[in-house]
Every structure is written in structure tokens, then in C-alpha cells.
Amino acid sequence: MADSGETEGPGSKDVIERAKNEGRELTKEEKQRLRKEKKQQKKGKEKKDDKASQDGEKQKKPVSSASPAPQPATQPPTQKAPPAVPALVPVPASETPPPGDKPAKSKAELKAERRARQEAERASKQGKKGDVGGQQVAAGKPKAPPSELQPVVKRLPEYMQADNPEVLKKLAKKLERQQIPLRSDYGYKVSLFSHLHQYSRKAPLTQQLSIPSTVIHPAIVRLGLQYSQGIVAGSNARSVALLHAFKQVIRDYTTPPNEELSRDLVNKLKPYISFLNQCRPLSASMGNAIKYIKKEISNIPSQCKEEEAKSKLLTCIDCYINEKIILAAKAIAKSSIEKISDGDVILVYGCSSLVNHILCEAFEKNRKFRVIVVDSRPRLEGREALRRLVQRGISCTYVLISAVSYILPEVSKVFLGAHALLANGYVMSRVGTSQIALVAKAFNVPVLVCCETYKFCERVQTDSFVSNELDDPDDLIVTRKGKTQLEHWQDVRLLGLLNLVYDVTPPDFVDLVITDLGMIPCTSVPVVLRVKNVDQ
Amino acid sequence: MELQAVLMAAGGGSRMTDLTYNTPKAMLPVGNKPLMWYPLNLLERVGFEEVIVITTREVHKMMSSDSKIKLDVKMKLDVVCIQEDGDMGTADALRHIQERIKTDILVVSCDLITDVALHEVVDLFRAYNATLAMLMSKAHEFTETVPGQKGKKKTAEQRDFVGVDQSGKRLLFMANEADLEDGLSIRKSIVRKHPRMHIKTGLVDAHLYCLKKAVVDFLVDNKSISSIRGELVPYLVRKQFSKTTNSQKIKDDAEDQNQKKNDGPTNHELLISSRDEPLLQLAQERSCWNDHRGDMSEAYHGGKLRCYVHIMDEGPCYRVNTLAAYIEANRLAPKLFEEPAVHPSAVISERCQMGSDSIIGAMCQVADKTSIKRSTIGNSTTVKEKVKVTNSIIMHGVTIEEGCNIQGSVICSNAVIGRGADLKYCLVGNGQRIEAEAERTNEVIVGTDQLMEI
């Protein structure tokens, strides 16, 4: 293989030199070829070092395989046969014919050789897996397969490493550089979740900021405060508020001299995003919106004037909101209404803006149904959903989640909202959703999840432990008849209060996902993600 | 920019004329620092870099010669002078500086001494997108005897009735006893929206307000409002629940944005709308948060004008506008800051007995065998031998001859206390001379020219 690489080298090099002489740029193919040859040459050098150990085996093989393959033209079929044979057989096989044809090879032959090389590599990979004994032969190709198989070490995001002091130190340094205060964790964390941050609502980040805030734009400070106090809650609301704040930032932005808007504005947004992250961990929808904005900003041509660029960005933001949130909601409502029939009893959980929108639209289209709102402590968001539905005239029942198995025999469908849809088909939503889906599955009630595509996320998660959000544990404290039992929970050494925000529902419990692209099964999420990436 | 600070230092101190007839209220020494240093210090600590100071020419002159303000205050002070004799209320002053105001403002009065965490007030202003956010504090009882007071002082001052909602943050109702002739009447619309209201009377208004810029624009058009505390704040609190604000606003907003400037003097409505109002609406609609529960209406009952208050439970918060408050402030203000009790340039002899809670100002001379307890002695004061000063406030440039006994009194600047005088609970005015061997109890000794001012 190495020899073939070397011998082929001069041949194609001629072509490339010719091209250079002609003064035209190397075409993509030629560039690729060049790259491949360089790789082969490297491999060849290593090969030569190990040849001594391999020679013994090689001598036997080429004889047997060389006979059925006397001519280079018949190389392709033979190269396909050997993959089943353990390691290195095709390699020496291809060694013997090529020395014969040095002069300019035809394109077909070059292609054939390339294919041969690929097959050889694939075979050697398989061989490597198959040879448990670890032949020296397999060791002959030390560098090539491992470098392709070597797993890329993914760095854990810092929000999942709250118990690692080095990560915390790095975070503190980064925030100091950006002049953003560090929010300290509060209270005793349950050991299973000690890798996540837990903040107290009574210690807002604005305590450590100066008034008036000069480092961080006032709109962002206001937004961060509203996030941490829970005034803006819910995936859609948070994204819209974020984009609204970004609009104000862009309006007030002026490019400093000797800087380009496309690069400087992105750098300006970074500390704001860190600040918002400190106030409340970013949601998947917010992450996607930020990615979109950053892309739009970096795509601004450098000769564009500042005013023009700013107005372009503002219209981009408006378009994004219009398309991904408002029109998507309309599309989802349209598809969902087909799924709602007269006489239905629909169960909803918590307060999802999308599900509320769907139900209100369906009611306006004169579908006859009633709704059961399931709620859970400590957020008790169901009360707000209840208010919105009853205000429209929909007849509702209200239960707490502990009564869901009692009420489920009455239910004909379950509509759930989602915070994000993960790449392996799991649904990340408010804590309690997975229980509802589980019980519904046990009762054979169809579960429909409504989610816009901009909430689709590349992350993969199979449990609710690895990545979650810990809310203020003091929310769990309640006063009944003047007595607050948990008032001094911090003094009890072995007591920890856990207030989780999200949980993941496996795709086996979800029957259908209604998105603005249509009604898809849970497992088609990676397809949508791929299509989206191609579009962009 | 987020907030601009405005310091109102033109007030005359009408409730303590004995002290202020010579020294303007803003420059009265409290703990040997001028009174207006305290709010300036508060603003500086929190992070302000610029303050607009509205004051009189006299105060401005004194400010530029005062070392404390010149050296300690690092912020840029943009001083606007107004006429002293003019009847300018605080709202009139805001109207006067209207061109300098570019964003929302934080109005502070010069007589506020507090160490409140200012972010509590400003956070209310930010988080709820409020039109007004103010600071109030539980009133403290004044325990010290006030010189010149005959008998126990009854709180004949008018009470303020402040109504807050259940969370204690939203301001629903504010009225002064003087305005309520035949009882407290609360509109039905308020009770319908907020069925549970707490009405408090023992609160002190700290005169610290965060106001939206739209309010200043509104003041420009409505020249009838002249005082922030007396007229503007009750007006805003009432306007929260007025019918016109809710229904029409949403329709008119889109058109009114252009018409705002054209309307001019006929526009008596407070227009509060921002750019991208539909986006804000959308975010609020999609958010699953409501500020109240139990009825069918959305967050804030759809109202755009909101007033919030932060009530301080503990911590010092004084408005030095009466003599009693002045004495109390002098007692407690030094504890707010860690500064050496004795100024390094003061000359104090060894045989002087000084209590730990006394303060001696710069360039003082305290002779032997004196006893100074729980007192404040101003700059350049001379205290001769065998003087006993207890529980008193001695301002700058005072001379106290030998053998005096001063208890519970306030001695203003440049006074001379003759030898052997015995003063109990007296107030000695500016530049007065107390003759030797005088014995005064519970008297206000001021010059004859001041007596005419009443």
C-alpha cells in the first residue's frame, strides 16, 4: 500500500505540476488527492520501519492473491474480496501490481487505487477488532486507524461541574475578565445533584453590580433580574424577551473605531450571555436563538454601513420571532386541531404557552372538549393555565399530580409542552411530565408533545440527573396554619431540599410530536436537526 | 445609561429654623460632615459616577470650600443653582433641569442618612418595569430630649397612610392625613383588584424615588404639580387604577408614539410605552407568571403604570428635617462609618476624659481636666479646662471657656460660652454669646434678628 502510494505520487504530482504551470488553481479533486498522498507518504514511512516484522507474512500472501489478480485492471474485484480476510492481505496484494505501471495512469485506475486504499483501511480496522490476539501484523498499522477511531474528548460544560474546584476557578477567572460578578451557591445540595449550581432568589446578582450598570447593558440587567425572579418564565417567553433585549442592545451599539461590527458586536454579546447564564441557566431555545443571532452578525459584510447593518439585524430578529414562534404556533395549532375531536377529554400539565394556544384555537373553531389541568408543587403553574383556559370559556378540571392516576381513566388524550427535544428523541420538559407520560402509557392514552423546531437541541440525555436545573430550595417551604415546619432546614445536618426544574421523558412514552414541520415520531428528531443544518 | 441621580439640596429646613437660619440645611454638620455628604456617599458607594445637584448659590459656595466634599466625593457633581427665595418645589426643580435628563432618574433628598442596599429599590424598578419605585422605612422613636421643647412632644405631625398589597411591594394607596377630611376612602376598583391591602401609618418616607423618564416629560407638560412628595407621588399612585390608562392605551400606543411630541399642553396623560411594545407584550403573554391570583385578569391587571415601594425593616434611615431628627442623626451617623473618633489634627491633652462615642473634629483644642461624653465637637473648636460636655452637639468654631457644664445641648457655629456657664438642654444659635456663670435650662438662645423671621 505504501509503495503504491509512493508510486502513484509522482504520477499525480505531474498532473498537479502541470496545473500549476498552467496557472490555474488546483481543483478540489486535485487538492484532495494531494492531501491523501501526503497522508500515504507518512504512512509509508512508518510502514517501512515495520516492514521487517511483516515481511514474513507478506511473502506468503501475495503469491496466492497475486495469481487471481494478474493485471491492474482486475484490481477492483479482488480488492473487494479480501476485506473478509484478516488484516494486511489486500495491502501486499496491491503492492505487487502497481510497481509495474509507473507512467501516467488513467483516472479510472487512480480511482480504483483510491478505493483499494479505502478498502484496505476498512479491512484493517475490522481486522484490528477481530484479532484479539493482537498480531504484530496488526500492529504494523499503528497510527492510521487509531487516529481515525480516537474518540474526541468532549469537555463537559461548566454548568454541570459545580463540584469541581478547578472548573469553578476557571469560571471565576473568566467572569472576572468579563467584569461580571460570580453568583455563589446556596444551601446544602443533595449529593446526587451536587454537580449542578443552586442559587437563592433572595440573593440576586444585581447585589454585586453597580447602579447604574455600565458594564452590562441595562436591558440585559433587567432581563437577568426578571429571569432570576421568575417573572419571565417558560421557554418561548424567555426567548422572546431575550431577543427583545438584544434588539435594544443592537440599537444602542456603536462600533468603536478600528473595529468591525461583525466581530466586535459578537464579542460584546459574550459577557451579556455569561451574565444571563449566571442569573438563570440558559434554555435550549435561548441557546438556538443566540446561535442564530451570532451567525447573522458574523455574516454582515464588512463594507456594510453601521446603520444599515443595525437595521438589517433588527429585521432579522423580528423575522426569527415571527417565523419560529408566532407562525410556528399557528402551524402547530392547525395540525393539532385535526387531532382534537368532539367529546375529547384532554389532559394538560403545567402551563405551556403553546398548548394553551392550541386549546384556545381549537375552542374557537368550535370543537367540543373539556380539559383537565394537572398541577404540581412548588411552582403551581397550572393555576395560570387554568385561568387562561377558563377565561376563554373552556370547561376545566383541576387536580394535583398525585391524583393523575385517579383522573386518567376519564382522559382521551394528553397534550404536553416541551422545553427542548433532545437528539435521541427524549423530551425535556417540566419535572413531572415523565410521570404523566408514564401513567398515560399504562392506561393506553395517547400522548402528544407539541414543540416548535427551534427548541430542538443537539444534546443527548437519557436521565434527568446528568444535566438539570436546581431551583431555590426555599420555594419548598410552605406555611400552613401559621406553622412553617421547614423553616430551619439548614440547621438539620442530614436534610437537603431538592427543587428540580426539568426531567426527560423517553420516546417510548410519546406517541407523536407535533411540530411546525408536521407530525413526526419522536425518533425523527435527528433527521429534522440534520435537515436544519443543511438548510443553514 | 440606566439611571441619572438627582440630589435635591435646595431645601430650606423649614422645620428647624433655629439651626438653619445661618447655615443652609444641606451644609449642617452631622458627625462633623456636611449633611449632603451622606446621600452623596451613598450614591458613590453604589456606583454612580455623576450626580446632578440642585442647590442654591450659597450652598454651592460652601460646597466648594468644604474640604470633606471636595476631597472625599469622587463623583462628578453637576451643580444647578436656583433662586433661594423662589418658591420652587422639587417637581419644579425637575422641570427646570429637564434638558439634562436623558434617562430614568433617581431623586434623592440631601437630608437622607441611610445605609440601605439601594439595589433593593432599583431592582423593583427594573424587574416590574415600574413607573415609580420609592423607599420607606419604619419610623424610629426619638429618645433624646430635644432642647427647647416644652413637655413631651406629641406626634401632632400629620400621619401618612400607605396602602400596600399582600407582598408588601406594590404601592396601592398613599394619602396624608391632612388631605383626608372625613375618613379614608378607597376606590372600589382598587379593592376589587387587590382584595387584601395592608395600610401602614408608622412609615417614614425616605424621599428616594426612581422615576421613569416619561414622568419628567409629563411634568414638563403639567406645570401645576410642584412637589414630588406632596403631589406627584400621590397622583401616580392614584393613576395606577384609573380607567383610562388600561383600555385605551393598547390601541393608542401605536399611533401615540408619533403624536407624543405634538400633543403639547393638552396632553395630560402619562404615556408609558416603549419601543418594541408588541414584543414585550408577547413575552408577557407567553410567560406563565402572574403577580396575583384568584381572579381572571392577567399580570398587573393589564395596567401599565405601576408603583412599587421597598420598606426597610431594620437599619438606619433618617430624614434630618427636624431638630429631634438632627440630634438623633448626630448620635448614630458616626456609627455608619468607621472613621477615627478623634481627628488627627486635634490637640487633646492627656488628662482629658473622652468617651468612646464622642467625635472630635479637626484642629480642635481640648484642654486638661475636661470630660467629653457622647458628644460631637466640630472643627476648630476650643474647649478650655474643667469643662464637662455630655450628650451635646458642638458645631464648628465654638469657644467654651473654663468650668462650663454643657448637657444635652446644641451649640451652633461660632458661639462663645462664657466661663462657668451651665447649659442644660439648650440650643444656642449661631454666633451667640453666653455670658459667664449663666444657667440656662431648656431654652433656645438665638439672636434677636432671627426672632423676627417667624
Side-chain angles (χ1 to χ4, degrees), chain B residues 5-35:
Chain B
V6 178
L7 182 68
M8 299 281 185
S14 48
R15 277 183 271 185
M16 40 186 202
T17 45
D18 306 324
L19 290 173
T20 57
Y21 74 90
N22 211 336
T23 325
K25 181 170 85 162
M27 297 305 287
L28 275 179
V30 173
N32 288 341
K33 302 187 191 77
L35 184 54

Side-chain angles (χ1 to χ4, degrees), chain A residues 40-186:
Chain A
Q40 297 312 319
Q41 283 173 13
K42 254 200 237 166
K43 279 191 211 159
K45 287 197 184 92
E46 294 152 12
K47 259 304 189 49
K48 282 211 160 115
D49 301 334
D50 300 327
K51 237 192 177 172
S53 54
Q54 297 160 14
D55 261 1
E57 286 219 46
K58 276 191 192 172
Q59 297 308 325
K60 300 174 208 160
K61 310 275 173 83
V63 180
S64 51
S65 47
S67 33
Q71 292 145 22
T74 55
Q75 263 185 13
T78 49
Q79 298 315 316
K80 292 212 178 105
V85 180
L88 287 184
V89 171
V91 177
S94 53
E95 260 178 37
T96 41
D101 11 323
K102 278 209 183 108
K105 300 190 177 170
S106 70
K107 242 192 180 175
E109 286 160 353
L110 291 167
K111 259 200 195 161
E113 274 164 358
R114 225 181 295 142
R115 216 179 296 138
R117 246 177 277 137
Q118 284 175 355
E119 298 288 328
E121 284 167 20
R122 218 177 293 144
S124 65
K125 272 189 225 168
Q126 282 183 348
K128 234 197 159 195
K129 286 184 206 155
D131 300 343
V132 182
Q135 293 171 7
Q136 264 190 343
V137 195
K141 269 203 180 169
K143 299 251 169 99
S147 62
E148 288 146 29
L149 280 181
Q150 201 166 45
V152 177
V153 177
K154 265 201 146 174
R155 261 187 228 106
L156 277 179
E158 77 73 30
Y159 59 81
M160 290 208 289
Q161 290 188 284
D163 55 352
N164 188 342
E166 283 140 27
V167 172
L168 287 178
K169 240 190 280 178
K170 257 192 226 160
L171 172 69
K173 255 193 229 157
K174 172 177 129 189
L175 289 179
E176 213 181 327
R177 227 182 330 124
Q178 294 175 330
Q179 291 176 293
I180 292 171
L182 173 70
R183 201 170 182 192
S184 45
D185 283 354
Y186 167 76

Side-chain angles (χ1 to χ4, degrees), chain A residues 208-417:
Chain A
Q208 303 162 50
L209 282 179
S210 71
I211 306 166
S213 70
T214 40
V215 173
I216 305 175
H217 192 275
I220 303 280
V221 175
R222 177 175 298 208
L223 187 66
L225 200 57
Q226 288 177 335
Y227 282 164
S228 60
Q229 309 279 353
I231 295 173
V232 175
S235 197
N236 281 336
R238 285 166 77 185
S239 308
V240 173
L242 175 73
L243 291 170
H244 171 257
F246 276 174
K247 272 180 98 170
Q248 304 202 11
V249 170
I250 291 174
R251 266 205 206 98
D252 294 338
Y253 171 76
T254 45
T255 326
N258 305 331
E259 292 278 358
E260 261 190 44
L261 183 136
S262 54
R263 250 169 274 148
D264 189 59
L265 186 53
V266 177
N267 286 341
K268 277 253 157 49
L269 289 181
K270 282 203 187 123
Y272 299 163
I273 295 168
S274 307
F275 173 76
L276 292 175
N277 209 358
Q278 287 284 293
C279 290
R280 196 180 158 189
L282 296 181
S283 67
S285 54
M286 285 165 73
N288 287 340
I290 291 173
K291 259 189 237 161
Y292 173 78
I293 293 243
K294 283 193 173 164
K295 191 175 76 96
E296 286 296 314
I297 295 176
S298 357
N299 282 347
I300 295 215
S302 47
Q303 62 266 28
C304 201
K305 266 187 273 181
E306 189 178 311
E307 283 312 311
E308 219 182 292
K310 290 209 287 201
S311 62
K312 186 162 166 293
L313 285 174
L314 295 175
T315 32
C316 275
I317 294 182
D318 282 328
C319 269
Y320 185 82
I321 296 179
N322 199 25
E323 271 173 44
K324 307 278 181 179
I325 302 179
I326 302 179
L327 290 179
K330 282 207 187 108
I332 295 177
K334 218 164 98 159
S335 342
S336 321
I337 289 176
E338 297 161 26
K339 292 286 174 193
I340 302 179
S341 28
D342 285 345
D344 258 349
V345 179
I346 299 178
L347 186 129
V348 299
Y349 177 63
C351 184
S352 166
S353 56
L354 188 54
V355 172
N356 292 344
H357 178 83
I358 292 172
L359 294 177
C360 295
E361 289 285 308
F363 192 71
E364 267 170 46
K365 298 244 164 42
N366 296 320
R367 293 274 197 273
K368 307 270 177 294
F369 59 92
R370 67 184 180 92
V371 175
I372 298 182
V373 179
V374 178
D375 203 5
S376 74
R377 279 200 68 232
R379 285 183 171 237
L380 291 171
E381 288 170 338
R383 294 184 299 190
E384 182 59 21
L386 184 68
R387 177 191 76 78
R388 288 178 196 196
L389 296 174
V390 172
Q391 199 187 25
R392 296 298 193 106
I394 305 174
S395 48
C396 298
T397 310
Y398 177 87
V399 291
L400 286 181
I401 194 169
S402 39
V404 78
S405 52
Y406 162 75
I407 203 94
L408 220 75
E410 293 179 22
V411 174
S412 63
K413 297 193 174 65
V414 176
F415 270 79
L416 297 173

